Amino acid sequence: MGHQGDCFLVPGPVRMSEACLQAMATPAITARGTEFRDVMADLNSGLRTAFNLTPSSRERGTESWSGEDGYKVIAVSGSGTAAMEMVIANRFRPNDRVLVPTNGKFGERVADICKQYCQIKHIAYEWGRSFDLMELEEQLGRGTFEALLICHNETSSGITQDAAALAQMCQEYNVAFILDGITSVGGLPVHPALWNAEAVVMGAQKCTAGPSGIAAIAINEHFVERVHTIRQQGDSNPVYYLDLVSAIKKGDDDQTPWTPAINLAMGWAASLRELEDEGLENRWNRCAHLASGVRALFSDLGFMLLADGGQQSDTVTAIMYPEGIDDSWRNKLKRDYQTQVIGAQDHLKGKMFRIGSMGTTSVEEMIEGCKRMIDCFREMGHELPNVDVASYFA
Ligand SMILES: Cc1ncc(COP(=O)(O)O)c(C=O)c1O
């Protein structure tokens, strides 16, 4: 049977499962007792799976945040931006220089956060255009940068960066590699250890279908060492709530420095168990299957995709509106077809829409949603060829 009811096809926050919602409906527990430490251990173990790190036990008191690969995961009470700020504020000294290439809104946000805490060279490519790797290599070769920071999967323009190539450059020039993986971790292949990434950030409400308002970071040993050294030398940036040294102190004991987002942590742990049940690679493959169907379908229908070919994202597809259509289409789609996609940001507002293919979205929901999108375009007078929508997702 096909999908019934609303189609919710946005690139996060995505729909939460019954198990996640039920877990969040747990009555209050204390922030310091064994019950919460049980939750943290469960959450940490699930986070390690999502980050594609070596496994850890779900049991309290077993340092479930760490693993053989030397990475530690830390849950952050706050959205993805808080976690990204935590990484940047703690890792760099005010005089450190970092390189930040961008091709969309969220990369620009990484650049903006860096401006608060260190010296930055921002190379802004057009939204959706691939980075010029030769230019970046030339920059890194100058030997003046402490780190390269990227938004791995640029949700605003639907492009995924070539992280493997960038990682290799970082290794060659001995530069730290840090990724905003907020819409990649759990939905696209991310290999922190293989890429020798110092830090990767994820947000719960995206590919892992958890609640909004909680996020996590994965950091390696070198990152931890640098944070401690900078702190000891006394030339660190000011931090308080987002102090990583305090968070690291508490981590071994399945604790957090401040009262954590307890019920969000419970919900997220449940979502991550579902990710484990599906299997990380299976989830990557499902996202890829959904996105490749969307790309082929809308291309055949005559639409233009914003992102450069070969790097189009498998968790979000950015599609230009045809002549004569604007966001009134999206409003109608929501009102008359009970189907939600998202619009564009900044200078592309009203010029394109974005379809999410992350979290637990099923093939059936995507097929139904795409049929409704086509019907809605036609109802607004935009002629489209006849296509067999389901065949694009076979
Ligand atoms: C790639 C990326 N980075 C950062 C963010 C910001 O995350 P949050 O809204 O959780 O702070 C988003 C949100 O859409 C995103 O997609």
Side-chain angles (χ1 to χ4, degrees):
M1 199 176 66
H3 176 81
Q4 306 284 313
D6 289 10
C7 293
F8 195 64
L9 300 168
V10 305
V14 302
R15 185 183 284 118
M16 289 172 277
S17 69
E18 228 12 75
C20 170
L21 296 171
Q22 284 299 323
M24 286 195 287
T26 308
I29 57 172
T30 70
R32 300 276 165 238
T34 54
E35 297 96 331
F36 183 68
R37 288 160 58 212
D38 285 338
V39 173
M40 273 309 286
D42 188 13
L43 176 61
N44 283 335
S45 174
L47 288 174
R48 293 193 63 84
T49 300
F51 274 117
N52 194 22
L53 299 171
T54 52
S56 69
S57 143
R58 292 189 178 283
E59 299 298 312
R60 156 168 53 90
T62 61
E63 298 185 22
S64 54
W65 69 329
S66 61
E68 265 177 26
D69 52 17
Y71 281 83
K72 285 182 157 62
V73 294
I74 295 179
V76 181
S77 295
S79 75
T81 306
M84 201 63 207
E85 182 160 3
M86 189 181 205
V87 163
I88 292 166
N90 288 273
R91 172 62 180 78
F92 302 114
R93 296 168 300 183
N95 282 331
D96 284 339
R97 291 193 80 222
V98 300
L99 181 62
V100 185
T102 66
N103 47 16
K105 174 97 182 161
F106 294 106
E108 289 168 10
R109 186 176 297 178
V110 173
D112 283 343
I113 300 172
C114 286
K115 279 182 202 148
Q116 305 289 320
Y117 296 105
C118 51
Q119 308 298 314
I120 158 178
K121 167 113 185 142
H122 178 191
I123 304 185
Y125 298 102
E126 244 179 86
W127 286 32
R129 296 289 77 74
S130 304
F131 295 162
D132 178 345
L133 296 184
M134 299 241 292
E135 180 180 18
L136 298 184
E137 177 151 25
E138 194 268 318
Q139 287 290 336
L140 292 177
R142 296 179 182 195
T144 59
F145 293 107
E146 175 75 16
L148 172 73
L149 294 96
I150 60 162
C151 171
H152 180 209
N153 185 67
E154 182 48 83
T155 323
S156 66
S157 58
I159 188 164
T160 305
Q161 323 304 348
D162 186 348
L166 294 166
Q168 206 176 355
M169 278 186 212
C170 288
Q171 300 222 43
E172 193 172 328
Y173 296 104
N174 196 24
V175 163
F177 187 35
I178 293 178
L179 298 92
D180 164 346
I182 290 170
T183 52
S184 60
V185 174
L188 305 178
V190 175
H191 302 281
L194 196 64
W195 298 342
N196 193 33
E198 272 206 13
V200 186
V201 171
M202 73 183 295
Q205 79 276 22
K206 305 287 190 181
C207 305
T208 56
S212 306
I214 187 164
I217 64 179
I219 46 179
N220 74 4
E221 284 160 345
H222 187 255
F223 185 100
V224 174
E225 208 178 282
R226 281 301 299 160
V227 167
H228 282 121
T229 306
I230 289 171
R231 196 61 59 86
Q232 281 153 12
Q233 288 172 345
D235 54 356
S236 51
N237 278 296
V239 281
Y240 194 88
Y241 189 76
L242 297 177
D243 178 12
L244 244 172
V245 172
S246 307
I248 291 166
K249 259 189 214 143
K250 292 285 187 182
D252 268 344
D253 205 21
D254 307 313
Q255 297 245 24
T256 55
W258 329 117
T259 305
I262 296 176
N263 289 58
L264 300 187
M266 291 171 173
W268 198 9
S271 312
L272 290 166
R273 264 180 259 129
E274 290 178 320
L275 167 61
E276 272 188 31
D277 290 345
E278 181 175 3
L280 183 62
E281 290 199 16
N282 292 338
R283 180 160 299 192
W284 294 347
N285 292 338
R286 180 166 48 74
C287 293
H289 179 67
L290 291 174
S292 68
V294 168
R295 287 195 294 267
L297 170 64
F298 280 89
S299 299
D300 282 0
L301 287 168
F303 289 75
M304 297 290 295
L305 306 182
L306 177 69
D308 278 349
Q311 279 186 242
Q312 287 152 344
S313 168
D314 281 338
T315 56
V316 55
T317 304
I319 305 171
M320 303 306 293
Y321 282 134
E323 212 36 56
I325 300 280
D326 58 22
D327 267 337
S328 55
W329 169 81
R330 221 159 43 81
N331 298 336
K332 184 176 181 59
L333 185 72
K334 181 178 177 192
R335 189 183 63 237
D336 298 346
Y337 291 87
Q338 291 73 51
T339 294
Q340 292 191 59
V341 293
I342 208 94
Q345 292 153 299
D346 291 3
H347 61 288
L348 291 175
K349 227 183 181 90
K351 296 190 175 136
M352 70 168 202
F353 64 105
R354 292 172 295 148
I355 301 178
S357 51
M358 60 179 69
T360 55
T361 304
S362 66
V363 168
E364 291 73 24
E365 181 174 3
M366 187 60 83
I367 291 172
E368 180 59 28
C370 289
K371 285 181 180 168
R372 294 180 194 178
M373 288 178 224
I374 292 169
D375 288 346
C376 189
F377 276 119
R378 286 187 176 135
E379 205 193 322
M380 289 186 80
H382 184 68
E383 281 183 28
L384 291 172
N386 283 325
V387 286
D388 174 5
V389 173
S391 70
Y392 286 86
F393 300 92

